[in-house]
């Protein structure tokens, strides 16, 4: 069945460091792909999305490119801040019912 | 105005009790969902309703029963609570099942069964 695999965390970085969180997927067809962020004690918020191959989603300095050839959707940010500390979830969408299948989440901790 | 609101935010109860969690959205969305997040942060879909019709019913014990009185509300009732039901339950909504804009999540209900 469809699945999403994320790199295990925690990822610990210093402020202003470069961030990459890896995400790969297994699915039939070409699902839409998403990154969600969960801050402590809160629900998930949509960070960015891409709907077809080579699309780049971007928001708040974060970017991810839909790579069909490697079935990947890695999240990147050029310079992280302490306020980016959160759990990041990669997800794919199954079209017929709009079901989102999530990866296991990656905890990012940014130190000042 | 909160877009997707869940009540209660925290729920502590004893094994064997019956409890309900309520969810309301004011976004005018057609589709609503319940997800369970376990202690390792893993999220798994439980149910989904589209215009009050059940469209996703994952492998969930019969003790869990969703109810959607109208498309703005989706409640979750749990009978005979067990220790393993302890988790954070998230309600979410989306515009519909076709547009692919993603979900809007509520802030979660932390259920602790003792």
């Amino acid at each position: 069945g469809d699945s999403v695999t994320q790199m295990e965390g925690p990822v610990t970085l210093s402020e202003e460091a470069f961030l990459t969180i890896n995400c790969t997927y297994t699915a039939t067809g070409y699902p839409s792909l998403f990154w969600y962020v969960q801050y402590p004690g809160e629900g998930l918020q949509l960070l960015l999305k891409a709907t077809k191959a080579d699309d780049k989603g971007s928001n708040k300095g974060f970017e991810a490119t839909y790579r069909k050839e490697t079935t990947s959707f890695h999240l990147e940010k050029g310079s992280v801040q302490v306020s980016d500390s959160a759990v990041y979830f990669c997800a794919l969408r199954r079209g017929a019912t709009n079901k989102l299948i999530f990866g296991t989440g990656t905890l990012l901790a940014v130190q000042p | 105005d909160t877009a997707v609101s869940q009540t209660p935010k925290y729920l502590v109860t004893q094994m064997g009790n019956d409890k309900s969690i309520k969810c309301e959205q004011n976004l005018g969305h057609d589709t609503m969902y319940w997800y369970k997040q376990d202690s390792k942060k893993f999220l798994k879909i439980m149910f989904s309703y589209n215009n009050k019709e059940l469209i996703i019913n994952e492998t969930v014990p019969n003790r869990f029963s969703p109810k959607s009185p109208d498309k703005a509300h989706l409640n979750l009732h749990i009978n005979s609570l067990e220790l393993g039901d302890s988790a954070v339950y998230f309600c979410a909504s989306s515009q519909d099942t076709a547009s692919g804009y993603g979900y809007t999540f509520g802030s979660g209900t932390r259920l602790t069964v003792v």
Side-chain angles (χ1 to χ4, degrees):
Chain A
D2 298 345
S3 65
V4 175
T5 302
Q6 287 182 237
M7 62 188 289
E8 284 213 24
V11 173
T12 304
L13 296 173
S14 298
E15 211 164 19
E16 299 184 3
F18 185 86
L19 168 71
T20 300
I21 300 178
N22 290 338
C23 171
T24 57
Y25 67 91
T26 302
T28 53
Y30 304 107
S32 296
L33 301 172
F34 300 82
W35 277 101
Y36 280 82
V37 58
Q38 184 179 26
Y39 298 102
E42 297 184 12
L44 282 75
Q45 300 173 27
L46 178 63
L47 184 57
L48 53 86
K49 71 182 180 84
T51 57
K52 60 184 188 299
D54 300 325
D55 263 4
K56 178 186 279 189
S58 61
N59 185 25
K60 299 180 182 178
F62 291 90
E63 292 183 342
T65 301
Y66 192 141
R67 301 283 187 205
K68 186 180 68 173
E69 62 277 11
T70 53
T71 61
S72 64
F73 192 54
H74 304 321
L75 183 68
E76 296 182 335
K77 187 177 185 184
S79 174
V80 294
Q81 305 300 312
V82 171
S83 57
D84 293 327
S85 299
V87 180
Y88 291 81
F89 292 90
C90 185
L92 67 82
R93 171 183 175 260
R94 295 314 299 154
T97 57
N98 205 37
K99 173 179 169 180
L100 286 184
I101 296 170
F102 287 88
T104 50
T106 302
L107 174 63
L108 170 65
V110 180
Q111 297 175 339
Chain B
D1 242 3
T2 305
V4 180
S5 58
Q6 296 179 228
T7 54
K9 190 170 176 64
Y10 299 97
L11 185 52
V12 180
T13 188
Q14 293 188 326
M15 280 175 54
N17 284 351
D18 302 339
K19 290 294 178 185
S20 291
I21 305 172
K22 297 188 174 183
C23 179
E24 175 181 5
Q25 54 95 3
N26 63 5
L27 299 167
H29 287 171
D30 285 347
T31 314
M32 296 183 74
Y33 311 82
W34 279 112
Y35 274 78
K36 179 181 180 180
Q37 186 175 48
D38 64 21
S39 58
K40 296 186 178 178
K41 299 288 189 184
F42 182 66
L43 279 155
K44 187 166 174 18
I45 193 165
M46 301 172 70
F47 304 104
S48 175
Y49 274 74
N50 186 57
N51 272 320
K52 301 195 298 175
E53 180 186 350
L54 182 66
I55 59 170
I56 296 175
N57 186 358
E58 295 288 296
T59 308
V60 175
N62 290 338
R63 300 181 294 102
F64 290 79
S65 54
K67 283 189 173 50
S68 183
D70 55 61
K71 72 175 192 177
H73 296 84
L74 179 60
N75 303 322
L76 183 65
H77 188 75
I78 316 170
N79 289 328
S80 303
L81 278 154
E82 300 178 357
L83 292 177
D85 298 331
S86 296
V88 181
Y89 293 84
F90 285 101
C91 178
S93 71
S94 66
Q95 184 170 330
D96 48 44
T97 59
S99 54
Y101 290 122
Y103 297 173
T104 302
F105 279 86
S107 57
T109 296
R110 182 175 293 276
L111 171 65
T112 303
V113 183
V114 297

PDB file of all heavy atoms in Angstrom, chain A residues 61-73:
ATOM      1  N   GLY A  61      10.102  30.518   3.864  1.00  0.00           N
ATOM      2  CA  GLY A  61      11.502  30.178   3.682  1.00  0.00           C
ATOM      3  C   GLY A  61      11.754  28.695   3.481  1.00  0.00           C
ATOM      4  O   GLY A  61      12.866  28.288   3.165  1.00  0.00           O
ATOM      5  N   PHE A  62      10.735  27.859   3.677  1.00  0.00           N
ATOM      6  CA  PHE A  62      10.842  26.424   3.435  1.00  0.00           C
ATOM      7  C   PHE A  62      10.514  26.119   1.972  1.00  0.00           C
ATOM      8  O   PHE A  62       9.669  26.770   1.377  1.00  0.00           O
ATOM      9  CB  PHE A  62       9.876  25.647   4.339  1.00  0.00           C
ATOM     10  CG  PHE A  62      10.231  25.676   5.796  1.00  0.00           C
ATOM     11  CD1 PHE A  62       9.735  26.675   6.623  1.00  0.00           C
ATOM     12  CD2 PHE A  62      11.038  24.688   6.348  1.00  0.00           C
ATOM     13  CE1 PHE A  62      10.052  26.702   7.962  1.00  0.00           C
ATOM     14  CE2 PHE A  62      11.353  24.709   7.697  1.00  0.00           C
ATOM     15  CZ  PHE A  62      10.854  25.720   8.508  1.00  0.00           C
ATOM     16  N   GLU A  63      11.195  25.102   1.437  1.00  0.00           N
ATOM     17  CA  GLU A  63      10.932  24.675   0.064  1.00  0.00           C
ATOM     18  C   GLU A  63      10.981  23.158  -0.019  1.00  0.00           C
ATOM     19  O   GLU A  63      11.690  22.510   0.755  1.00  0.00           O
ATOM     20  CB  GLU A  63      12.018  25.208  -0.886  1.00  0.00           C
ATOM     21  CG  GLU A  63      12.023  26.689  -1.082  1.00  0.00           C
ATOM     22  CD  GLU A  63      13.096  27.101  -2.090  1.00  0.00           C
ATOM     23  OE1 GLU A  63      14.018  26.300  -2.345  1.00  0.00           O
ATOM     24  OE2 GLU A  63      12.991  28.226  -2.608  1.00  0.00           O
ATOM     25  N   ALA A  64      10.236  22.611  -0.983  1.00  0.00           N
ATOM     26  CA  ALA A  64      10.327  21.181  -1.286  1.00  0.00           C
ATOM     27  C   ALA A  64       9.942  20.989  -2.739  1.00  0.00           C
ATOM     28  O   ALA A  64       8.994  21.616  -3.215  1.00  0.00           O
ATOM     29  CB  ALA A  64       9.405  20.367  -0.376  1.00  0.00           C
ATOM     30  N   THR A  65      10.668  20.117  -3.435  1.00  0.00           N
ATOM     31  CA  THR A  65      10.410  19.875  -4.853  1.00  0.00           C
ATOM     32  C   THR A  65       9.966  18.431  -5.048  1.00  0.00           C
ATOM     33  O   THR A  65      10.597  17.496  -4.542  1.00  0.00           O
ATOM     34  CB  THR A  65      11.667  20.145  -5.699  1.00  0.00           C
ATOM     35  OG1 THR A  65      12.062  21.500  -5.500  1.00  0.00           O
ATOM     36  CG2 THR A  65      11.385  19.907  -7.178  1.00  0.00           C
ATOM     37  N   TYR A  66       8.900  18.255  -5.780  1.00  0.00           N
ATOM     38  CA  TYR A  66       8.313  16.948  -6.096  1.00  0.00           C
ATOM     39  C   TYR A  66       9.185  16.271  -7.151  1.00  0.00           C
ATOM     40  O   TYR A  66       9.238  16.686  -8.297  1.00  0.00           O
ATOM     41  CB  TYR A  66       6.906  17.181  -6.655  1.00  0.00           C
ATOM     42  CG  TYR A  66       5.993  15.997  -6.806  1.00  0.00           C
ATOM     43  CD1 TYR A  66       4.666  16.122  -6.504  1.00  0.00           C
ATOM     44  CD2 TYR A  66       6.435  14.761  -7.284  1.00  0.00           C
ATOM     45  CE1 TYR A  66       3.763  15.071  -6.665  1.00  0.00           C
ATOM     46  CE2 TYR A  66       5.568  13.707  -7.450  1.00  0.00           C
ATOM     47  CZ  TYR A  66       4.234  13.869  -7.144  1.00  0.00           C
ATOM     48  OH  TYR A  66       3.364  12.828  -7.307  1.00  0.00           O
ATOM     49  N   ARG A  67       9.922  15.231  -6.733  1.00  0.00           N
ATOM     50  CA  ARG A  67      10.828  14.519  -7.645  1.00  0.00           C
ATOM     51  C   ARG A  67      10.236  13.146  -7.945  1.00  0.00           C
ATOM     52  O   ARG A  67      10.303  12.238  -7.127  1.00  0.00           O
ATOM     53  CB  ARG A  67      12.200  14.350  -7.007  1.00  0.00           C
ATOM     54  CG  ARG A  67      12.879  15.648  -6.625  1.00  0.00           C
ATOM     55  CD  ARG A  67      13.470  16.337  -7.819  1.00  0.00           C
ATOM     56  NE  ARG A  67      14.269  17.502  -7.432  1.00  0.00           N
ATOM     57  CZ  ARG A  67      14.492  18.535  -8.222  1.00  0.00           C
ATOM     58  NH1 ARG A  67      13.980  18.560  -9.441  1.00  0.00           N
ATOM     59  NH2 ARG A  67      15.247  19.547  -7.808  1.00  0.00           N
ATOM     60  N   LYS A  68       9.676  13.019  -9.140  1.00  0.00           N
ATOM     61  CA  LYS A  68       9.040  11.751  -9.507  1.00  0.00           C
ATOM     62  C   LYS A  68      10.076  10.643  -9.667  1.00  0.00           C
ATOM     63  O   LYS A  68       9.861   9.495  -9.284  1.00  0.00           O
ATOM     64  CB  LYS A  68       8.279  11.954 -10.829  1.00  0.00           C
ATOM     65  CG  LYS A  68       7.452  10.770 -11.269  1.00  0.00           C
ATOM     66  CD  LYS A  68       6.745  11.056 -12.578  1.00  0.00           C
ATOM     67  CE  LYS A  68       7.715  11.163 -13.738  1.00  0.00           C
ATOM     68  NZ  LYS A  68       7.049  11.278 -15.054  1.00  0.00           N
ATOM     69  N   GLU A  69      11.244  10.984 -10.229  1.00  0.00           N
ATOM     70  CA  GLU A  69      12.242   9.963 -10.550  1.00  0.00           C
ATOM     71  C   GLU A  69      12.826   9.312  -9.294  1.00  0.00           C
ATOM     72  O   GLU A  69      13.211   8.151  -9.325  1.00  0.00           O
ATOM     73  CB  GLU A  69      13.353  10.556 -11.420  1.00  0.00           C
ATOM     74  CG  GLU A  69      14.152  11.677 -10.787  1.00  0.00           C
ATOM     75  CD  GLU A  69      13.486  13.041 -10.913  1.00  0.00           C
ATOM     76  OE1 GLU A  69      12.304  13.117 -11.316  1.00  0.00           O
ATOM     77  OE2 GLU A  69      14.161  14.037 -10.582  1.00  0.00           O
ATOM     78  N   THR A  70      12.861  10.077  -8.205  1.00  0.00           N
ATOM     79  CA  THR A  70      13.383   9.524  -6.952  1.00  0.00           C
ATOM     80  C   THR A  70      12.280   9.345  -5.915  1.00  0.00           C
ATOM     81  O   THR A  70      12.555   8.988  -4.770  1.00  0.00           O
ATOM     82  CB  THR A  70      14.467  10.439  -6.358  1.00  0.00           C
ATOM     83  OG1 THR A  70      13.934  11.773  -6.244  1.00  0.00           O
ATOM     84  CG2 THR A  70      15.703  10.465  -7.241  1.00  0.00           C
ATOM     85  N   THR A  71      11.046   9.570  -6.300  1.00  0.00           N
ATOM     86  CA  THR A  71       9.868   9.535  -5.404  1.00  0.00           C
ATOM     87  C   THR A  71      10.177  10.216  -4.081  1.00  0.00           C
ATOM     88  O   THR A  71      10.019   9.649  -2.996  1.00  0.00           O
ATOM     89  CB  THR A  71       9.346   8.097  -5.176  1.00  0.00           C
ATOM     90  OG1 THR A  71      10.356   7.297  -4.560  1.00  0.00           O
ATOM     91  CG2 THR A  71       8.905   7.465  -6.473  1.00  0.00           C
ATOM     92  N   SER A  72      10.623  11.468  -4.177  1.00  0.00           N
ATOM     93  CA  SER A  72      11.034  12.192  -2.975  1.00  0.00           C
ATOM     94  C   SER A  72      10.406  13.579  -2.925  1.00  0.00           C
ATOM     95  O   SER A  72       9.965  14.125  -3.943  1.00  0.00           O
ATOM     96  CB  SER A  72      12.562  12.309  -2.930  1.00  0.00           C
ATOM     97  OG  SER A  72      13.021  13.090  -4.007  1.00  0.00           O
ATOM     98  N   PHE A  73      10.390  14.117  -1.719  1.00  0.00           N
ATOM     99  CA  PHE A  73       9.823  15.463  -1.490  1.00  0.00           C
ATOM    100  C   PHE A  73      10.546  16.031  -0.271  1.00  0.00           C
ATOM    101  O   PHE A  73       9.959  16.268   0.768  1.00  0.00           O
ATOM    102  CB  PHE A  73       8.310  15.349  -1.271  1.00  0.00           C
ATOM    103  CG  PHE A  73       7.559  16.654  -1.318  1.00  0.00           C
ATOM    104  CD1 PHE A  73       7.666  17.513  -2.401  1.00  0.00           C
ATOM    105  CD2 PHE A  73       6.704  17.009  -0.287  1.00  0.00           C
ATOM    106  CE1 PHE A  73       6.958  18.702  -2.454  1.00  0.00           C
ATOM    107  CE2 PHE A  73       5.977  18.196  -0.323  1.00  0.00           C
ATOM    108  CZ  PHE A  73       6.117  19.045  -1.407  1.00  0.00           C
TER     109      PHE A  73
END
